[in-house]
Structure formats: structure tokens, C-alpha cells
Amino acid sequence: DNSSRTEQCIYHSGYPLFHEGSKGWDCCKKSTLFFDQLFALEGCTTGVHKFVPDHKVTTVTLRNDFYQTPDWVVVTYYSKNVDKSSSKVLFFPDSYSISLKLADGQIYEKEVRFSGSKTIDPNASRMEIMGTKVELKLKKDPKNPERDWTKI
């Protein structure tokens, strides 16, 4: 029966929230004290039923390693044929976010938060994509006293 493919679906577009005994939704602020009533709360968003995802993305894991110099931390992700035009990295003072598109259409995505109080200079940090690996060169923040990166 294909009629369900066009009928309206009422749902919560946000995530469930659990805070000090209260359970609710972040999209509409509806809440209850009882867990069994959480999913009985009427939805706040209307749309059509969706039976398949928009597109299929296969994620992979990549082998990685890092080393440090007095001023830099170099993180290496090992993979052949990374697509330079659609791969990117975002650097932040306390983390980085990487998204690599591989030649076979697979995706590698990861967000890395640095341990302790380690920080970098996002403007001086950079990514270099080579034939068999991707290197992230993280410029250590010279104002940060924590200079030894035994782990990221």
C-alpha cells in the first residue's frame, strides 16, 4: 500500500532531553516527568514519511598516527587517493574536525578534542593531502604552557 508514502507524519525533529528528572524534546520544549510518556508527547513537526535515506554514505575508519616537534604536532591519516576538492578540515583552538572523501565514494569524518588544556593556533595550522596519506600540521599555541603532547 503506497498511501502511507504521501500521508503526513507528525514527529519531533529534535533530540530527547533528560535533565533533573524531567524528560522532553529540545525542538519544542514539551516535557514530562515520566519516561513512558516521553514518546507519547505529540510531535511538533509535520512532514511526509521517509522510508529510505536521501543518499547512502559509507563511512570508514582510517589508521592514524602523530608526532610532535617543539612547535608543531603532525597528525597523519593513511589513505590512498583522497579527493582534494571535497575533503576539508576545520581547525579550532581546542579541537579540529576532519572530513575526507575517498576515491571509492566512502567518507571518513571525525572530530578530535585535545586532551587537557592543549591548544593550537587555528590560523597557522594546515592540511596537506598526498598520494598515500593526509597530514594535519597543528601549530602549537606559543602562549599555552602545556607544550608536551604525549597524547592528543
Side-chain angles (χ1 to χ4, degrees):
D1 182 19
N2 285 333
S3 64
S4 65
R5 294 189 182 275
T6 57
E7 68 185 31
Q8 293 294 304
C9 177
I10 300 171
Y11 62 97
H12 290 284
S13 60
Y15 297 97
L17 297 174
F18 302 93
H19 181 68
E20 295 182 0
S22 179
K23 296 115 183 101
W25 298 95
D26 70 344
C27 52
C28 62
K29 308 300 182 211
K30 292 182 181 179
S31 64
T32 181
L33 294 175
F34 304 101
F35 185 81
D36 59 340
Q37 293 178 358
L38 174 64
F39 296 103
L41 293 172
E42 186 174 345
C44 60
T45 306
T46 303
V48 293
H49 289 286
K50 188 173 177 181
F51 293 97
V52 294
D54 290 332
H55 61 282
K56 185 175 181 177
V57 175
T58 305
T59 57
V60 295
T61 56
L62 297 179
R63 186 171 62 93
N64 63 72
D65 199 1
F66 80 97
Y67 67 91
Q68 66 176 325
T69 67
D71 296 322
W72 296 88
V73 175
V74 180
V75 182
T76 305
Y77 291 93
Y78 297 95
S79 180
K80 293 181 181 178
N81 303 320
V82 173
D83 183 0
K84 292 180 181 184
S85 64
S86 57
S87 297
K88 64 181 180 180
V89 65
L90 299 172
F91 296 107
F92 305 99
D94 63 346
S95 64
Y96 67 85
S97 176
I98 186 169
S99 176
L100 302 176
K101 184 171 183 187
L102 310 182
D104 57 4
Q106 294 181 320
I107 303 282
Y108 175 80
E109 291 183 326
K110 187 167 188 169
E111 184 172 329
V112 176
R113 292 207 167 278
F114 307 135
S115 63
S117 61
K118 296 174 182 72
T119 55
I120 63 168
D121 179 351
N123 297 321
S125 299
R126 61 188 183 273
M127 174 173 72
E128 186 177 351
I129 298 176
M130 296 171 251
T132 59
K133 63 183 178 179
V134 176
E135 279 191 355
L136 302 182
K137 296 185 178 177
L138 310 175
K139 175 70 172 158
K140 292 179 181 178
D141 184 354
K143 296 175 270 184
N144 190 330
E146 190 168 349
R147 306 285 292 159
D148 187 24
W149 291 50
T150 55
K151 66 178 185 172
I152 292 185

